[in-house]
Amino acid sequence: MTAPRIRFLTLAARVAFYALVFAFLLSRAASAGFSHDENQFIAPGQFLADHGLLPYLDYPYTHMPYGVFLYALTAKLSNFDFLAGRLLNAVAWLVCAILIARAFKNGTESEPPLLELFWEFVAVYLFLNGHILGQIVGNALNHS
């Protein structure tokens, strides 16, 4: 095959693969059981969005406020706070998977394109199927 055709096929395979990864992450976000910790992360975003209250200044908060501003944005954009927060996390997980794949790709540039693509998919598959990720993917938690 010619080089442009191989590049097109690998790009098409990547797009299809990451579309499947995103579908998996969305399905986990929509169907994961409720975690009793989620309210600790979604509520501060709701406080900020609705009343302009900031953690530490206006109320006690026992976590680092990593996601408060992002959860406030999702609370402003949607009436479905938990689902919007979970969808935000699905997008963040997709970005993490792509960044891991790009870092992995930089280490395997001397491989043939199709073999490089295969190992990239294996790395993302292993990343997304780890035991710890199975516990937190799909929930709106700061540490997810």
Side-chain angles (χ1 to χ4, degrees):
M1 276 195 252
T2 63
R5 183 175 170 100
I6 290 176
R7 277 196 300 267
F8 174 76
L9 289 176
T10 56
L11 177 64
R14 276 191 181 100
V15 169
F17 178 73
Y18 289 112
L20 286 173
V21 167
F22 192 53
F24 163 74
L25 292 169
L26 286 177
S27 71
R28 288 294 302 264
S31 64
F34 180 73
S35 168
H36 69 279
D37 289 332
E38 281 183 284
N39 61 347
Q40 297 175 40
F41 302 107
I42 295 294
Q46 190 69 49
F47 290 156
L48 180 58
D50 290 347
H51 308 291
L53 300 175
L54 290 169
Y56 309 119
L57 297 175
D58 298 314
Y59 57 90
Y61 192 59
T62 58
H63 301 283
M64 292 298 291
Y66 298 128
V68 171
F69 297 102
L70 294 173
Y71 291 133
L73 177 66
T74 62
K76 277 290 192 196
L77 295 176
S78 172
N79 291 330
F80 303 100
D81 303 339
F82 282 98
L83 182 59
R86 286 178 171 201
L87 294 178
L88 172 71
N89 280 350
V91 170
W93 278 106
L94 178 66
V95 169
C96 287
I98 291 170
L99 289 174
I100 285 174
R102 299 312 300 167
F104 189 82
K105 183 182 181 322
N106 289 340
T108 60
E109 286 182 346
S110 61
E111 300 287 336
L114 295 178
L115 187 59
E116 175 185 299
L117 186 68
F118 171 76
W119 288 117
E120 177 183 331
F121 290 173
V122 167
V124 171
Y125 176 80
L126 292 174
F127 167 67
L128 291 175
N129 284 302
H131 174 69
I132 293 173
L133 267 60
Q135 302 296 318
I136 60 175
V137 168
N139 292 326
L141 306 169
N142 273 5
H143 47 281
S144 71

